[in-house]
Each structure stands twice: as C-alpha cells, then as structure tokens.
Amino acid sequence: MKNGRAKISVIGAGNVGASAAFRIAQLELADVALIDIVEEIPEGKALDLAQMCPITGSDVNLVGSTNYEDTADSDVVIITSGIPRKPGMSRDDLISTNTKVVKSVTEQVVSNSPDAILILVTNPLDAMVYVAHRVSGLSDNKVMGMAGVLDSARFRAFIAMELGVSVENINASVLGGHGDTMVPLLSNTTIAGVPIAQLVPADRLEAMVDRTRKGGAEIVALLKTGSAFYAPAVAAVEMAEAIIKDKKKVLPCCVYADGHYGIEDTFVGLPVRLGAEGVEEIIGVEISDEEMEALHVSAGKVKELCEVIDGMGIL
Ligand SMILES: NC(=O)c1ccc[n+]([C@@H]2O[C@H](COP(=O)([O-])OP(=O)(O)OC[C@H]3O[C@@H](n4cnc5c(N)ncnc54)[C@H](O)[C@@H]3O)[C@@H](O)[C@H]2O)c1
C-alpha cells in the first residue's frame, strides 16, 4: 500500500458503479476514480458525491472521468462496466458484449495500475473473471469476482424475513457460479448458532434456496430496465474494504480453483480469506456430498461458458 489514502477505481459509472462509489465515500474508505465510456456522466456523479462528503464527514477525493490516467496507482479496481440484463435474459446472454468491454477495460486498467487487485462485477460474472485474469496477466490472488457475498446476503435476507429474526443472526453462505446452479450451503447455515434444519421445515428451506437462486431475476422482472444495484455495490465494497484494511475476512468470492474442492482450472465461488494480498487462501470447509456434487455441476457450467469465450476469438 502507498503512503497516504488508499485509492479505488470504479469502472462503469452506472447503477452498480455509482452506488459503489457512494458506499466507498460514505465509509471514507479510499479516494475514488469513477470511470465510464460515456463523457460527462462520471464527472457529474463524482461531483455530486464530492458534495455529499461534507455531510457524511468523509475526507476522500472523488474524480469522475473517461480517461484511464485518472485510475493510475489504484490499490483496488472494481469493474462494473458492461450491459445488465433485461427481463427474460439470462446472465449468459450478455457474454459477447461484456467480454469485449471487460477485455478493453482490463487492458487500460492494468497499464495504469500494474499492482492493483481487480474485483469483477460485470456479468456473466465467473466468465468475466476468467477474461480479466487472462487479459491482465495478474497472479491468481489478484483477480476475483463478486457474487457469493451478494447471493449469501440474499439468502440471509430471505431467511430473516421467513423467521422474523435479525439479519445479524443469520450465518449463511452461497458457493458456486453466479447463476441458476449456485449452491446455497444449507449444511452450514445457522441462526444464532442453531442449525437451520432444526428451525425451518424442509419444504420452506427448499423454497428459500430456490428464491435465492432466482433472486437476481426477481429484481430484473420488477425493475424492467436493469438489474439490482444497491446490494451488489455494497457487496463489492465489502470485498474492497477487506483488502484495503487487510481484514483477513472470510467471504465467498469467485476465484481461480486449481484442484480446490476437486475443481480444476476454473473460476468459481469458494470461501476465501481476503486481505492485503487479495485472495490469501481458499478455505476448505466441510460440505455435504450433495452440495459437493452441485458445486461441481456449477463449476462445469462456468467452464462451458469460458470455452464459448475461447471460441469467439476475442481474447
Ligand atoms: N456480480 C453480480 O452479482 C452483479 C450484480 C448486479 C449487476 N451485475 C452486473 O454488473 C454490470 C453493471 O450493471 P449496472 O446495473 O451498473 O449497469 P448500468 O447499465 O447501470 O451501468 C453500466 C455502465 O457501464 C458503462 N460502460 C459500458 N461499456 C463501457 C466501457 N467499455 N468502458 C467503460 N464503461 C462502460 C455504461 O456506460 C454504464 O454507465 C452488468 O453486467 C450487470 O449484469 C453483476
């Protein structure tokens, strides 16, 4: 880390990106460069956020720009640029457009901040982490994706709503790819330390798992013009904060699996320890045979998508 304040660049000044910049400023976590391909929008949003800071008491610099020189020497870069889903679309439908966007953005980010740690948000998430990893040439610990933190938060919110208890009492984690094959871990879910199976009947549990898997689509169907952004933005910033503050926080993140959980050469959501070095360790937790099987199915789907990208000849 450099002397002085940390710096986070947020690429894409749309719904997720601007909300992430808002959260970073609110937490007084780091200086922010907010970048977009569209002129003036990032400048306008950064100015608005700078005018928020006297009220929130946040001493951070905010720059909005279309120029990647403004991202120079970032500690962390959150990549949200690309198109979101519309009703009826799957995340995988975004693949061709967003592969090109993430490739070009990653090249420009890395040439200005060769030591930065990258957090991908753009969908289809796991495949975009693969793209950024390949294009950047960065080591495995420095390129990761945000999905598990969001999917786990959705699962925790649904459980809290169902049981009428505090969200703070719910400990739950979702592994696997960020799609319909994600794996909410029922075996490790607890409410104030009590295993969830003791408190919720199996059919209700199954309904919550299903709602979690479709949590993104539920919001897309309601919003109609885009996808969720408040929870995704806060989730990405939780990861950035763990890195900037070297918190050693254990969070589910999309990372490179190289034999971990028996998964070879694939990017997929696994529990990791996040600190100043990025992904400092992939944590092996005990999961049921059924969950392990589902995790392998999910990793297989990511692998198929990455093969589609390879076949496009873009990288
Ligand atoms: N991983 C997750 O859990 C998760 C959650 C929510 C959204 N997402 C994804 O995040 C992405 C952004 O979602 P959003 O709601 O903010 O969309 P948005 O349309 O509001 O914002 C995207 C921004 O990216 C910009 N952009 C496009 N091409 C660019 C380029 N080449 N360089 C720089 N900027 C560029 C656009 O101008 C726009 O401002 C989508 O792909 C969405 O599917 C992922």
Side-chain angles (χ1 to χ4, degrees), residues 11-18 35-38 41 45 68 79-85 91 94 98 100-102 104-105 108 120-125 146-147 150-151 154 178 226-229 232:
I11 317 299
N15 280 335
V16 178
I35 306 292
D36 205 282
I37 200 165
V38 179
I41 299 276
K45 291 192 180 180
Y68 280 81
I79 299 179
T80 76
S81 45
I83 51 167
R85 297 195 268 175
R91 295 179 179 90
L94 310 172
N98 285 354
K100 289 179 205 141
V101 169
V102 169
S104 120
V105 162
Q108 296 175 84
L120 275 291
V121 177
T122 307
N123 276 319
L125 190 270
M146 187 292 294
L150 170 65
D151 295 327
R154 285 178 172 155
H178 186 50
S227 55
F229 51 97

Side-chain angles (χ1 to χ4, degrees), residues 117 139 141-142 144 243 246 248 274-280:
I117 291 174
S139 52
N141 59 312
K142 290 192 148 193
M144 68 196 83
I243 295 164
D246 194 20
K248 318 290 185 195
L274 280 189
E277 298 303 314
V279 179
E280 298 187 339

Side-chain angles (χ1 to χ4, degrees), residues 81-112:
S81 45
I83 51 167
R85 297 195 268 175
K86 298 230 163 58
M89 287 172 93
S90 85
R91 295 179 179 90
D92 297 357
D93 293 335
L94 310 172
I95 195 163
S96 152
T97 305
N98 285 354
T99 295
K100 289 179 205 141
V101 169
V102 169
K103 175 178 187 274
S104 120
V105 162
T106 303
E107 284 165 352
Q108 296 175 84
V109 161
V110 172
S111 72
N112 286 283

Side-chain angles (χ1 to χ4, degrees), residues 7-10 74-78 116-119 240 243-244:
K7 178 170 176 179
I8 302 177
S9 288
V10 179
S74 297
D75 298 293
V76 172
V77 180
I78 300 175
I117 291 174
L118 310 186
I119 301 174
I243 295 164
I244 299 278

Side-chain angles (χ1 to χ4, degrees), residues 85-88 214-228:
R85 297 195 268 175
K86 298 230 163 58
K214 296 174 184 155
E218 183 178 357
I219 292 175
V220 170
L222 291 166
L223 297 185
K224 300 190 177 61
T225 54
S227 55

Side-chain angles (χ1 to χ4, degrees), residues 166-230:
S166 165
V167 288
E168 289 183 274
N169 285 142
I170 318 288
N171 202 327
S173 192
V174 178
L175 304 185
H178 186 50
D180 300 341
T181 62
M182 70 178 73
V183 188
L185 292 184
L186 286 177
S187 62
N188 293 349
T189 301
T190 55
I191 291 102
V194 180
I196 193 167
Q198 290 181 23
L199 299 172
V200 183
D203 60 327
R204 292 305 307 152
L205 273 180
E206 205 34 62
M208 284 187 272
V209 165
D210 189 52
R211 192 172 178 197
T212 301
R213 287 207 179 100
K214 296 174 184 155
E218 183 178 357
I219 292 175
V220 170
L222 291 166
L223 297 185
K224 300 190 177 61
T225 54
S227 55
F229 51 97
Y230 295 121

